[in-house]
């Protein structure tokens, strides 16, 4: 990967705009600036591009250890894939699904397992309440909702305990929160939860395969998008270049990095708020922005991919989907390659499971995950041809996945700072998106927005 934009000893590299982070947001911003002949450099701490997308050759194909799905209304992501000629293919979902609840396996087809009448009524009422509540929330400024203080003063857990009584309905919401936010219901502000639902077109959209956020995958893996964007940017990319400090003055901004000093008129920070808080700002940021960054912890997730010689679960009539309230595997899906040449299963330790299993040895995690797969689909699952994992909480340049989240009180007190420039600093990243917050599409939106902001300032 080109990195000729690095500064020589004692020399300061210059550009119109510096971009911190070569994830989808940063790369999108750089492409937009380059199209308009704005000089820019992208400074990336890792030795690769892609941020929270990561594709790896596992067995006979490239499979994803990071973000991997695309769904309807993620139009920016779909447009980027078309432009870069990266094909998509449907996520497999045909067959019997599994729910492990309290150690008991329940099989079902359709969207939900058989449920008691009380659970069905609770879920229907919950869905109606969510749809009614998100209508009240301004998507661009959820902190300004009429009942923002009330909604932000409680967690999803406290709301659940007050309004949901059937055990099955509570379990459903717990698994949804873990799968979508890689957090626990007790971690999330209810206002933040509702605004996230609105950003992604509602709960059903966020959790569904067909017609939802998990509808399709990318041939060759989602990181291909970032790799192709980086190839187009060429020498504008600087890898292995962590930014340590940022100083602003009347004429521009100076960044000190492990590869030297960089100078520009403006800077776009396209990394999660938590990581942005670890940069030293010589010119102090507004207190609201400082507080916001340290109050947005990342979700906790470990992702596992196991490959096999045969898709034996499909042969037995299973879709590959399994959801569990115990063990390391909270959510499991079929992960076979687009042409079926590489059968695979993918699973996630989400939320508390990710935290608990992070402390266990890697070989213990492997045994436990495969034991769950065997419990779901049969003993053949114990004999994978390959097994890989990615613990995002241990990644120093992500700090967790999928995104930074907000606890109670954060959105109303500090939310207005999420996209507000601080002097010459502009903020990108999927956490700042209005549509599809937390998703790849949201990262693209944020890159396009900050590119437009900086172009307008440069022209002014």
């Amino acid at each position: 990967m080109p990195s000729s934009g690095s500064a020589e000893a004692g020399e300061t590299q210059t550009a119109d705009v510096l971009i911190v982070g070569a994830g989808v947001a940063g790369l999108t911003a750089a492409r937009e600036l380059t199209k308009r002949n704005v000089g820019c450099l992208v400074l990336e701490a890792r030795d690769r591009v892609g941020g929270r997308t990561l594709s790896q050759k596992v067995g006979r194909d490239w499979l994803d250890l990071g973000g991997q799905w695309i769904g309807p209304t993620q139009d920016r992501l779909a447009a980027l894939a078309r432009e870069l000629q990266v094909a998509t293919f449907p996520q497999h979902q045909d067959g019997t699904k599994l729910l492990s609840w309290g150690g008991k396996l329940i099989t079902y087809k359709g969207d939900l397992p058989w449920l008691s009448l009380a659970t069905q009524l609770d879920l229907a009422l919950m869905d109606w309440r969510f749809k009614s509540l998100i209508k009240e929330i301004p998507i661009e400024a959820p902190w300004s909702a009429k009942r923002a203080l009330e909604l932000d003063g409680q967690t999803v857990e406290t709301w659940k305990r007050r309004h949901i009584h059937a055990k099955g309905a509570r379990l459903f919401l717990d698994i949804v929160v873990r799968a979508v936010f890689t957090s626990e219901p007790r971690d999330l502000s209810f206002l933040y939860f509702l605004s996230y639902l609105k950003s992604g077109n509602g709960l059903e959209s966020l959790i569904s395969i067909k017609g939802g956020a998990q509808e399709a995958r990318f041939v060759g893996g989602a990181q291909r998008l970032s790799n192709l964007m980086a190839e187009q940017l060429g020498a504008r990319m600087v890898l292995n270049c962590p930014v340590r400090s940022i100083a602003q003055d009347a004429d521009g901004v100076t960044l000190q990095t492990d590869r030297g000093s960089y100078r520009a008129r403006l800077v776009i920070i396209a990394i999660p708020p938590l990581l942005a808080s670890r940069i030293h700002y010589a010119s102090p940021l507004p207190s609201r922005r400082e507080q916001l960054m340290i109050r947005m912890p990342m979700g906790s997730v470990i992702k596992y991919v196991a490959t096999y010689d045969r898709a034996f679960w499909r042969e037995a009539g299973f879709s590959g989907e399994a959801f569990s309230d115990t063990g390391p595997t909270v959510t499991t899906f079929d992960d076979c390659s687009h042409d079926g040449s590489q059968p695979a299963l993918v699973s996630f330790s989400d939320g508390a499971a990710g935290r608990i299993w992070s402390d266990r040895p890697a070989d213990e995690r492997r045994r436990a995950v495969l034991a769950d797969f065997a419990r779901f689909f049969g003993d053949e699952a114990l004999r994978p041809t390959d097994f890989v994992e990615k613990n995002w909480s241990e990644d120093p340049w992500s700090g967790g996945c999928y995104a930074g989240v907000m606890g109670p009180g954060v959105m109303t007190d500090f939310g207005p700072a999420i996209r507000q420039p601080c002097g010459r600093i502009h903020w990108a990243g999927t956490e700042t998106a209005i549509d599809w917050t937390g998703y790849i599409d949201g990262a693209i939106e944020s890159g396009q927005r900050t590119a437009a902001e900086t172009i307008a300032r440069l022209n002014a």
Side-chain angles (χ1 to χ4, degrees):
M1 188 68 63
S3 59
S4 59
S6 59
E8 301 295 335
E11 178 187 353
T12 298
Q13 282 282 324
T14 61
D16 293 320
V17 180
L18 293 171
I19 299 165
V20 180
V24 173
L27 294 170
T28 298
R31 290 180 84 231
E32 295 296 315
L33 292 169
T34 301
K35 288 176 186 177
R36 290 157 180 79
N37 298 314
V38 175
C40 64
L41 291 172
V42 184
L43 311 181
E44 167 58 45
R46 294 182 173 94
D47 60 0
R48 65 170 182 86
V49 300
R52 286 167 269 179
T53 60
L54 174 61
S55 305
Q56 182 173 315
K57 186 75 176 292
V58 186
R60 295 184 290 274
D61 208 344
W62 290 83
L63 301 176
D64 285 302
L65 295 177
Q68 69 179 71
W69 283 297
I70 178 174
T73 77
Q74 295 183 4
D75 299 329
R76 298 173 184 86
L77 180 53
L80 178 64
R82 287 193 301 269
E83 181 184 348
L84 298 175
Q85 298 183 357
V86 176
T88 62
F89 66 102
Q91 168 67 40
H92 179 76
Q93 63 166 349
D94 297 332
T96 301
K97 304 174 187 179
L98 291 161
L99 171 66
S100 176
W101 183 10
K104 179 181 178 182
L105 276 180
I106 301 169
T107 60
Y108 66 100
K109 294 186 177 180
D111 294 331
L112 293 170
W114 182 89
L115 301 166
S116 68
L117 180 59
T119 297
Q120 292 180 55
L121 291 173
D122 249 7
L123 286 176
L125 186 57
M126 180 188 76
D127 185 57
W128 176 82
R129 283 172 168 150
F130 287 169
K131 288 176 178 175
S132 298
L133 287 166
I134 64 176
K135 288 179 182 178
E136 301 178 16
I137 297 175
I139 192 168
E140 294 188 11
W143 46 84
S144 67
K146 191 172 182 179
R147 290 196 285 164
L149 288 173
E150 173 193 343
L151 298 172
D152 203 31
Q154 57 188 308
T155 64
V156 178
E157 178 70 22
T158 54
W159 185 91
K160 178 189 78 177
R161 291 178 179 273
R162 187 176 301 117
H163 296 284
I164 302 177
H165 306 290
K167 290 182 179 179
R170 288 187 171 188
L171 173 68
F172 174 83
L173 184 56
D174 287 346
I175 291 177
V176 163
V177 171
R178 291 165 188 155
V180 174
F181 298 88
T182 58
S183 300
E184 294 295 314
R186 63 179 178 270
D187 300 328
L188 302 181
S189 149
F190 190 53
L191 175 63
Y192 172 78
F193 172 82
L194 293 171
S195 68
Y196 201 97
L197 263 57
K198 184 158 190 172
S199 170
N201 298 317
L203 179 62
E204 186 175 357
S205 169
L206 292 178
I207 65 174
S208 297
I209 293 179
K210 186 174 178 56
Q214 288 72 230
E215 186 172 77
R217 293 160 53 201
F218 297 95
V219 175
Q223 193 186 354
R224 279 188 68 200
L225 299 167
S226 294
N227 291 339
L228 291 169
M229 286 192 285
E231 286 179 15
Q232 294 176 350
L233 292 167
R236 298 177 185 87
M237 298 296 311
V238 189
L239 302 182
N240 298 302
C241 189
V243 173
R244 303 301 183 181
S245 69
I246 299 177
Q248 302 188 60
D249 56 45
D251 299 317
V253 58
T254 301
L255 278 62
Q256 299 296 337
T257 80
D258 287 4
R259 299 191 65 170
S261 178
Y262 293 83
R263 176 81 176 167
R265 294 171 65 186
L266 300 169
V267 61
I268 294 171
I269 297 185
I271 58 178
L274 178 65
L275 296 188
S277 73
R278 298 173 183 172
I279 298 173
H280 172 67
Y281 299 90
S283 305
L285 299 178
S287 60
R288 179 176 275 187
R289 177 70 207 187
E290 291 273 14
Q291 290 287 318
L292 174 71
M293 294 190 298
I294 64 174
R295 293 170 186 266
M296 285 191 70
M298 299 294 288
S300 303
V301 63
I302 310 172
K303 187 171 183 178
Y304 314 93
V305 175
T307 60
Y308 297 92
D309 288 325
R310 297 169 30 248
F312 52 86
W313 57 95
R314 291 189 185 185
E315 296 169 8
F318 291 103
S319 71
E321 294 166 76
F323 309 93
S324 178
D325 67 340
T326 57
T329 60
V330 176
T331 51
T332 301
F333 297 90
D334 181 293
D335 203 40
C336 296
S337 58
H338 68 285
D339 57 3
S341 64
Q342 181 53 77
L345 291 167
V346 61
S347 193
F348 304 81
S349 291
D350 299 316
R355 300 163 196 168
I356 292 167
W357 285 90
S358 284
D359 292 335
R360 309 284 179 84
D363 60 342
E364 184 180 345
R365 287 196 295 268
R366 182 183 189 276
R367 289 195 301 270
V369 169
L370 294 178
D372 275 357
F373 286 176
R375 190 163 61 91
F376 300 152
F377 308 118
D379 286 346
E380 197 166 349
L382 295 171
R383 298 181 291 276
T385 55
D386 208 343
F387 183 92
V388 294
E389 69 170 27
K390 174 64 176 177
N391 186 345
W392 285 95
S393 298
E394 292 182 348
D395 188 317
W397 305 119
S398 290
C401 254
Y402 307 132
V405 299
M406 295 186 185
V410 175
M411 181 162 271
T412 45
D413 283 350
F414 309 107
I418 192 72
R419 289 180 291 274
Q420 186 174 359
C422 299
R424 295 179 178 274
I425 301 173
H426 292 252
W427 308 99
T430 188
E431 289 84 1
T432 72
I434 295 170
D435 294 323
W436 287 104
T437 307
Y439 289 77
I440 302 173
D441 191 83
I444 297 172
E445 181 210 278
S446 75
Q448 293 172 341
R449 171 182 54 79
T450 49
E453 289 173 358
T454 52
I455 290 168
R457 289 187 68 172
L458 292 171
N459 290 338

